[in-house]
C-alpha cells in the first residue's frame, strides 16, 4: 500500500516521542555525495542550530552573508573603497596582556587523534551547542580546482571561520562540482560553544572559550576534525593542517626577485614579516604560500611545490604599513578607526586618529593606542600567486636549526640537492641576509640548469 500524507502524519505511533526535525536548510544543497549530505543533517540534529546555510562561493551570496554576519555577530564590514571584501571580527575571548615569544607565523601544534572516550566527550560538548545560532556548511577544496588534492566540507557556527576558510581555500560551487558521489571527502566541525538559546528556547549567553583553550581533535575513523571553542577563525588553520599533515610539509614559499632574476625559496621555521619585505641587498620578497605544501621531484631533477592553500593566517603585529592586505582580508581583534579602516601599531601615524578598540569602545585621550587591539590579533590574507600553480623551488632556508635534519631527509627522498642556509631565528634581518645568500647561489644554478635543458 503506498504511503500517503495521512500515513506520514500518523507517524510515530501514539506514546512514542517524535523524532526531532532537521533544522531548516540542512537539505538545501546540490551535493551529489549522499553520505556527506546525511552527515551534515546528523550534525545539524546534534548541534540544533536555528538555521542551516550552505555557502555557494558566489559574490552575491557573500554580500548577503556579510550583512548577516554584521547583524548576528560582532563583525564589522570595512571601508569597501580601501579594503573591498574585507571584515573585522571581534572575538569574545582575546588577551590584552603583553605579547611574548616570537613575532612570526601562527604557531601550529600536532593535532591529537581522537579515541572512543575523546569522541564521546566531544559529542557531549557540542550537543545542542548551536541553539540560537546559524550553522554554515562550506564545501572547500585544496590545491588546483582542476585536480584538487583534498575535498572537504566544513561545518561551523562561526562567521570568522567561514570568512577565514574563504580566504585560505576555494569554497562553494567549485568544491560542490568536484565532490562526486564516490569522492573521498574530509570533514570539519567547528563549534564555538556560544549557543544563545537553551533547550527550552530561552535566551542565554555562551561562555567564551579563549584561543589557548581551543580543543582540536582528529577522528580518523570518520576523517573528521573537531574544533571546539574560539570564534576567531584560527581553528581553520588547525583543521586544515590535520587534514593535510600526511601529504604536505608546513612551509613558507617566498619569491625573491630583483631586476635580473627571481628565485623561489622554501622556508622551514620562523618567517616574521610574512606578507612583504625587502632583503638587505634590496631584493623584493613576496609570499607565494604559507602552510601545507606538497613537494615532489620534477622532470629535470628539481623540486616542485604544490601549495594547497591560497592564503595564510598571520599575527597582525608582523605587518608593516606597506603590507599588501587590501582586499578579501579577515582581521581579527584589531583596532578600528572612525572612518572604517583597521589600525595596528606600525600601520600609520596615530596622531589625529580616533580609535575604537577591539571590544568596540572608544580609546580615551591619553591612553596607549597600542593597547587598542589585542596583542594576539590575527589576519587571514590571500597571497601573491595564481590558484593551483605549481612552483619550482630553488633553495631552502631553515630558521630553526632543529629543522635542518628534516630538510636533508626531504632533499634525499626527492633526489635533489639545492642551496640551503641554516640560521638561528633572530628576526627579519637575519632571514633577509639568508635569502640574499641562497638567491645568489640558486640563480647561478638555475641558469646552468636552463642551459642544460635548452641543449
Amino acid at each position: 500500500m503506498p504511503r500517503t500524507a495521512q500515513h506520514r502524519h500518523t507517524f510515530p505511533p501514539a506514546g512514542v516521542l517524535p523524532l526531532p526535525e532537521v533544522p531548516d536548510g540542512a537539505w538545501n544543497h546540490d551535493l551529489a555525495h549522499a553520505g556527506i549530505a546525511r552527515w551534515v543533517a546528523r550534525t545539524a540534529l546534534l548541534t540544533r542550530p536555528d538555521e542551516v546555510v550552505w555557502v555557494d562561493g558566489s559574490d552575491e551570496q557573500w554580500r548577503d552573508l556579510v550583512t548577516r554576519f554584521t547583524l548576528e555577530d560582532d563583525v564589522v564590514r570595512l571601508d569597501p573603497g580601501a579594503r573591498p571584501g574585507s571584515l573585522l571580527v571581534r572575538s569574545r575571548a582575546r588577551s590584552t596582556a603583553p605579547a611574548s615569544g616570537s613575532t612570526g607565523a601562527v604557531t601550529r601544534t600536532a593535532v591529537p587523534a581522537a579515541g572512543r572516550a575523546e569522541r564521546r566527550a566531544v559529542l557531549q560538548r557540542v550537543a545542542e551547542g548551536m541553539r540560537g545560532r546559524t550553522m554554515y556548511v562550506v564545501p572547500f577544496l585544496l590545491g588546483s580546482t582542476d585536480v584538487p588534492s583534498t575535498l572537504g566540507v566544513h561545518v561551523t557556527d562561526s562567521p570568522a571561520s567561514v570568512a577565514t576558510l574563504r580566504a585560505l581555500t576555494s569554497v562553494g560551487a567549485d568544491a560542490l562540482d568536484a565532490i562526486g558521489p564516490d569522492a573521498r571527502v574530509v570533514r570539519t566541525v567547528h563549534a564555538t560553544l556560544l549557543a544563545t538559546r537553551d533547550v527550552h528556547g530561552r535566551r542565554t549567553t555562551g561562555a567564551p572559550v579563549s584561543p589557548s583553550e581551543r580543543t582540536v581533535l582528529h577522528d580518523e575513523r570518520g576523517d573528521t576534525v573537531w574544533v571546539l571553542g574560539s570564534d576567531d577563525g584560527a581553528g581553520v588553520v588547525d583543521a586544515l593542517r590535520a587534514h593535510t599533515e600526511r601529504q604536505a610539509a608546513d612551509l613558507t614559499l617566498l619569491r625573491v626577485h630583483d631586476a635580473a632574476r627571481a628565485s623561489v625559496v622554501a622556508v622551514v621555521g620562523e618567517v616574521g614579516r610574512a606578507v612583504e619585505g625587502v632583503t638587505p641587498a634590496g631584493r623584493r620578497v613576496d609570499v607565494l604560500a604559507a602552510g601545507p605544501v606538497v613537494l615532489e621531484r620534477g622532470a629535470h631533477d628539481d623540486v616542485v611545490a604544490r601549495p594547497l592553500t591560497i592564503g595564510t593566517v598571520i599575527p597582525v603585529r608582523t605587518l608593516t604599513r606597506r603590507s599588501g592586505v587590501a582586499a578579501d582580508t579577515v582581521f581579527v581583534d584589531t583596532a578600528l578607526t572612525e572612518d572604517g579602516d583597521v589600525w595596528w601599531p606600525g600601520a600609520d601615524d596615530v596622531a589625529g586618529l580616533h580609535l575604537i578598540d577591539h571590544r568596540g569602545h572608544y580609546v580615551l585621550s591619553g591612553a596607549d593606542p597600542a593597547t587598542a587591539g589585542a596583542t594576539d590579533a590575527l589576519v587571514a590574507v590571500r597571497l601573491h600567486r595564481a590558484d593551483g600553480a605549481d612552483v619550482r623551488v630553488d633553495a631552502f632556508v631553515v630558521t630553526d636549526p632543529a629543522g635542518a635534519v628534516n630538510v636533508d631527509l626531504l632533499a634525499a627522498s626527492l633526489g635533489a640537492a639545492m642551496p640551503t642556509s641554516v640560521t638561528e631565528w633572530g628576526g627579519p634581518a637575519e632571514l633577509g641576509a639568508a635569502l640574499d645568500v641562497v638567491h645568489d647561489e640558486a640563480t647561478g644554478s638555475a641558469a646552468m640548469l636552463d642551459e642544460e635543458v635548452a641543449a
Side-chain angles (χ1 to χ4, degrees):
M1 180 178 178
R3 183 179 295 274
T4 66
Q6 182 178 0
H7 285 86
R8 289 198 296 270
H9 290 160
T10 58
F11 179 85
V16 177
L17 291 177
L19 295 174
E21 293 183 1
V22 177
D24 290 343
W27 296 107
N28 295 344
H29 60 81
D30 296 320
L31 191 64
H33 197 301
I36 296 298
R38 287 193 297 269
W39 171 77
V40 170
R42 289 198 304 268
T43 304
L45 282 171
L46 173 67
T47 57
R48 306 303 301 161
D50 283 4
E51 183 182 3
V52 178
V53 173
W54 288 74
V55 176
D56 63 20
S58 67
D59 292 338
E60 180 181 5
Q61 189 203 43
W62 181 244
R63 288 191 292 268
D64 293 339
L65 287 178
V66 169
T67 300
R68 176 192 289 261
F69 295 164
T70 59
L71 295 175
E72 294 183 357
D73 288 81
D74 210 349
V75 176
V76 178
R77 191 199 310 260
L78 297 178
D79 179 5
R83 302 188 190 274
S86 299
L87 305 175
L88 167 64
V89 177
R90 293 181 178 133
S91 68
R92 307 193 189 187
R94 277 283 161 182
S95 168
T96 54
S100 60
S102 68
T103 60
V106 174
T107 301
R108 299 176 176 89
T109 57
V111 176
R116 180 180 299 177
E118 288 81 8
R119 282 195 295 268
R120 183 182 300 113
V122 164
L123 294 176
Q124 290 174 345
R125 290 186 67 186
V126 302
E128 311 211 12
M130 295 186 187
R131 280 193 176 274
R133 296 178 65 79
T134 300
M135 186 177 91
Y136 300 97
V137 184
V138 191
F140 68 92
L141 62 84
L142 301 177
S144 168
T145 55
D146 296 327
V147 186
S149 295
T150 301
L151 298 170
V153 174
H154 183 87
V155 170
T156 183
D157 65 332
S158 166
S161 189
V162 177
T164 300
L165 191 64
R166 180 177 178 268
L168 302 186
T169 70
S170 298
V171 304
D174 287 337
L176 276 175
D177 292 342
I179 299 177
D182 301 316
R184 179 183 176 274
V185 183
V186 300
R187 315 167 186 181
T188 301
V189 179
H190 177 198
T192 63
L193 306 182
L194 293 171
T196 57
R197 294 188 187 275
D198 61 19
V199 295
H200 303 293
R202 295 175 299 211
R203 297 289 297 182
T204 184
T205 302
V209 179
S210 72
S212 62
E213 297 173 349
R214 182 172 63 241
T215 300
V216 184
L217 288 173
H218 190 184
D219 183 357
E220 296 182 354
R221 185 182 65 174
D223 211 354
T224 302
V225 172
W226 296 85
V227 182
L228 307 185
S230 179
D231 58 340
D232 59 6
V236 170
V237 177
D238 296 326
L240 294 180
R241 181 174 183 270
H243 285 312
T244 60
E245 59 188 355
R246 292 185 178 179
Q247 62 172 311
D250 205 19
L251 302 172
T252 301
L253 297 181
L254 301 179
R255 181 173 182 266
V256 183
H257 54 106
D258 53 26
R261 296 190 69 91
S263 64
V264 175
V265 181
V267 181
V268 180
E270 200 65 75
V271 176
R273 298 187 184 279
V275 171
E276 66 168 344
V278 177
T279 69
R283 297 183 174 105
R284 173 78 183 192
V285 179
D286 296 326
V287 180
L288 301 180
V293 176
V294 176
L295 295 177
E296 298 174 340
R297 185 173 180 174
H300 305 292
D301 290 331
D302 53 359
V303 176
V304 175
R306 182 182 308 116
L308 298 186
T309 58
I310 58 177
T312 188
V313 176
I314 57 175
V316 170
R317 63 178 178 270
T318 66
L319 300 180
T320 64
R321 178 179 179 180
R322 295 178 57 249
S323 295
V325 289
D328 296 316
T329 302
V330 184
F331 292 88
V332 180
D333 291 327
T334 58
L336 185 69
T337 65
E338 280 189 316
D339 59 0
D341 196 9
V342 288
W343 182 89
W344 60 88
D348 208 341
D349 185 1
V350 74
L353 292 178
H354 297 286
L355 298 180
I356 302 169
D357 69 17
H358 68 289
R359 301 295 187 196
H361 304 135
Y362 275 95
V363 177
L364 299 177
S365 177
D368 183 3
T371 63
T375 55
D376 52 356
L378 304 172
V379 57
V381 58
R382 293 187 180 179
L383 297 174
H384 308 274
R385 72 173 187 88
D387 178 28
D390 288 353
V391 181
R392 188 179 77 180
V393 179
D394 301 303
F396 279 105
V397 168
V398 183
T399 58
D400 176 10
V405 175
N406 295 331
V407 171
D408 292 339
L409 293 174
L410 182 64
S413 67
L414 293 171
M418 60 182 60
T420 302
S421 174
V422 180
T423 177
E424 188 81 41
W425 173 255
E430 286 77 3
L431 174 60
L435 292 176
D436 279 328
V437 171
V438 296
H439 173 81
D440 289 334
E441 296 183 38
T443 51
S445 301
M448 290 189 290
L449 178 62
D450 291 341
E451 292 175 1
E452 294 175 2
V453 172

